Amino acid sequence: MWLAENWKDYEVIDCSNGEKLERWGSFLLVRPDPQVIWDTPKTHPGWRKMNGHYHRSAKGGGEWEFFDLPKQWTIQYKELIFNLKPFSFKHTGLFPEQAANWDWFSEKIKNADRPIKVLNLFAYTGGATLAAAKAGASVTHVDASKGMVGWAKENAASSGLENAPIRWLVDDCVKFVEREIRRGNHYDAVIMDPPSYGRGPKGEIWKIEDAIHPLVKLCTQVLSEKPLFFLINSYTTGLAPSVLSYMIGTEICSKFGGTVSSEEIGLPVTETGLVLPCGASGRWEA
């Protein structure tokens, strides 16, 4: 498992009975997590003194209950600063486990000894975009949500990257890649963090099990002659790490050689010394 273990402003303090107790900066949140199927004693005082609690509804969805929590605050990862805002369906605007991938590809970009162009699809609030830009890459950031792209720009400004070579696009990711193929544009690296289910700007339906493999095939057509890396993240339980390996290997190694590795990604749990699994990532590198 690849661990995001270099955080100072974030930690999973404890997990029990379908929930996790997290510290985001100086604030404590309790949020549901379907992986937490064990029921251990909630002895940490944070369980009774949280600043926010997301309650899952039996009918689906849920709602936040806040106790002395600001509408927005920031946390830092190394030189990057992220604006947090608890919003719909338990999210805060950041997936901290992705820091394991940020560290990996940042080193590859820094050590490439050449200019690197990165395409970040389903780019959300820009964690990977900012990490790649900070490492020295030029980045094309694509997300179907205008609000998320705006939030990513806020994070860039907070991180001192408002003038970095980042192209911000509100677009359907599949249609954007198809247009880039027609335009003859190429990238040295592709990052994608697709949702299990989603809709594009014009209502286009995305279902990961049906759409991910065709998109990977498309993306091989926008890779440069000497690509550096290719990264896929999946939070869908049906897409095991081995599935990501086979898919990436079939489509990318056959064209460019290189190596593929896939693992679960996870966050250390302070109270128990265990690791909370947080999906899977597949990595190709030259």
Side-chain angles (χ1 to χ4, degrees):
M1 188 181 287
W2 292 320
L3 299 185
E5 53 190 355
N6 294 319
W7 279 99
K8 293 184 173 68
D9 276 3
Y10 172 85
E11 67 175 313
V12 180
I13 298 171
D14 198 11
C15 303
S16 179
N17 196 28
E19 293 185 312
K20 56 189 174 186
L21 171 65
E22 306 163 288
R23 178 180 63 82
W24 298 81
S26 57
F27 300 103
L28 300 183
L29 300 183
V30 173
R31 300 190 297 158
D33 192 303
Q35 300 279 13
V36 183
I37 60 174
W38 51 88
D39 187 4
T40 49
K42 294 181 176 180
T43 56
H44 192 280
W47 287 110
R48 296 174 293 283
K49 294 182 180 179
M50 78 283 279
N51 298 96
H53 191 177
Y54 189 88
H55 298 278
R56 176 66 58 78
S57 168
K59 298 177 182 178
E63 62 181 3
W64 281 100
E65 181 181 14
F66 296 124
F67 313 94
D68 191 27
L69 185 74
K71 290 184 177 179
Q72 181 171 326
W73 72 102
T74 62
I75 65 171
Q76 185 167 347
Y77 184 75
K78 297 183 177 178
E79 298 174 285
L80 304 177
I81 295 175
F82 300 100
N83 297 278
L84 304 179
K85 312 169 200 175
F87 70 110
S88 61
F89 194 63
K90 78 181 181 181
H91 294 308
T92 63
L94 189 67
F95 292 97
E97 64 273 8
Q98 288 302 323
N101 285 320
W102 304 340
D103 290 347
W104 170 73
F105 65 67
S106 292
E107 284 304 305
K108 296 201 71 61
I109 292 167
K110 290 175 184 175
N111 295 330
D113 294 324
R114 59 187 170 103
I116 298 297
K117 289 176 60 181
V118 175
L119 174 61
N120 187 12
L121 302 173
F122 311 96
Y124 194 51
T125 58
T129 292
L130 302 191
K134 194 69 180 179
S138 58
V139 186
T140 297
H141 173 111
V142 187
D143 197 280
S145 167
K146 184 178 180 181
M148 291 300 135
V149 174
W151 193 338
K153 289 180 181 179
E154 288 179 35
N155 288 335
S158 297
S159 299
L161 292 167
E162 61 268 41
N163 296 319
I166 303 171
R167 192 162 57 128
W168 306 100
L169 295 165
V170 179
D171 206 341
D172 176 80
C173 290
V174 176
K175 291 182 178 176
F176 175 77
V177 172
E178 289 172 340
R179 286 198 300 275
E180 289 293 82
I181 292 169
R182 291 196 294 270
R183 289 188 284 242
N185 290 336
H186 293 94
Y187 298 86
D188 303 297
V190 174
I191 299 167
M192 64 173 75
D193 200 345
S196 298
Y197 181 86
R199 290 184 180 272
K202 297 179 181 177
E204 302 92 340
I205 292 175
W206 166 276
K207 192 174 179 183
I208 192 168
E209 295 91 336
D210 300 331
I212 185 67
H213 188 208
L215 179 57
V216 171
K217 290 183 77 167
L218 276 178
C219 285
T220 63
Q221 298 180 60
V222 296
L223 288 173
S224 62
E225 290 182 0
K226 292 185 177 180
L228 184 65
F229 69 86
F230 198 107
L231 171 66
I232 302 176
N233 297 306
S234 169
Y235 292 93
T236 305
T237 53
L239 289 181
S242 56
V243 175
L244 296 177
S245 283
Y246 297 150
M247 182 170 58
I248 298 171
T250 301
E251 297 303 331
I252 302 177
C253 288
S254 60
K255 286 188 175 183
F256 299 101
T259 59
V260 176
S261 54
S262 296
E263 294 281 357
E264 287 185 287
I265 52 174
L267 290 161
V269 182
T270 306
E271 282 288 285
T272 60
L274 301 176
V275 174
L276 178 65
C278 304
S281 291
R283 301 170 177 175
W284 173 88
E285 54 190 307

